[in-house]
Amino acid sequence: MGWTDLDDFLRRAEARLDAPRGESRLPEGGDMSFQPEDRLGEIRPAAVLIGILPRPSGPNVLLTKRPATMPTHAGQVAFPGGKVEPDDADDVAAALREAHEEVGIDPKRTQLVGRGSAYLTGTAFRIMPVIGILPPDFQPVPDPTEVDEAFETPLGFLMDPTNHMAKATVWRGKERHYYEMPHNGYRIWGVTAGIIRMLYERLYGAEAT
């Protein structure tokens, strides 16, 4: 689809996502083929910020590339985010804090839109995606200990299902299915692509029409 309308995206998000604060009502998703004994430890809460930048050429999404030294998902493309810490008021506060630490996002200048479905990973994280609009003049300032680089990908590209490539691999002796969305030399795949796919299905999939 040739969609680039941010206003339409926001209307759908307001109608079909959970509110930024309050009870989580959407069903969780993720790689549900993992059984409890397959997951790498006790489930830990985490949150990411899907930061949308209203650029003159159209809305973009801020993504990062994780350093190869990270203990989990090393070298992968990711949204700014991380574990929910005891001092965080909720998962939204965690997403904003992590985004500030990783790339310099100002929580006070972030317009919260809503929360998507929590994504359960094989590495035992329950990740809450928080959607927010960043200031038009925002420029990331990556923390080199947590982010190799920050880059932007068009929201229209990510919300186009023809760009969602279904793949499979064998991990820990079992076949696992995932999505991949290569763009401009970056391999957007795994958990990040899964979160994007779930957001697309919630806003634009057959059940949302």
Side-chain angles (χ1 to χ4, degrees), residues 18-19 21-27 91 115-118 128:
D18 283 332
R21 293 306 204 294
E23 183 181 355
S24 296
R25 303 174 184 274
L26 299 179
D91 43 25
R115 293 170 296 147
S117 297
M128 176 59 69

Side-chain angles (χ1 to χ4, degrees), residues 30-154:
D31 192 336
M32 308 309 286
S33 65
F34 284 83
Q35 299 301 313
E37 62 272 16
D38 293 331
R39 298 192 187 277
L40 301 181
E42 183 179 353
I43 301 296
R44 295 154 289 177
V48 297
L49 181 67
I50 302 178
I52 300 173
L53 291 147
R55 301 301 196 195
S57 60
N60 289 344
V61 174
L62 182 67
L63 290 163
T64 71
K65 185 177 179 182
R66 292 167 62 86
T69 54
M70 297 296 279
T72 58
H73 306 289
Q76 294 185 13
V77 168
F79 296 110
K83 292 183 291 185
V84 178
E85 300 292 352
D87 290 341
D88 292 321
D90 53 23
D91 43 25
V92 174
L96 292 172
R97 174 185 55 76
E98 288 280 352
H100 173 71
E101 294 172 357
E102 292 183 6
V103 290
I105 286 173
D106 184 351
K108 294 180 180 179
R109 297 189 67 201
T110 302
Q111 176 190 342
L112 296 175
V113 174
R115 293 170 296 147
S117 297
Y119 190 99
L120 196 59
T121 76
T123 49
F125 285 101
R126 179 177 282 107
I127 302 174
M128 176 59 69
V130 178
I131 296 88
I133 305 297
L134 303 181
D137 61 352
F138 174 78
Q139 294 296 329
V141 182
D143 178 347
T145 65
E146 299 192 72
V147 175
D148 262 358
E149 59 179 307
F151 63 96
E152 299 177 23
T153 299

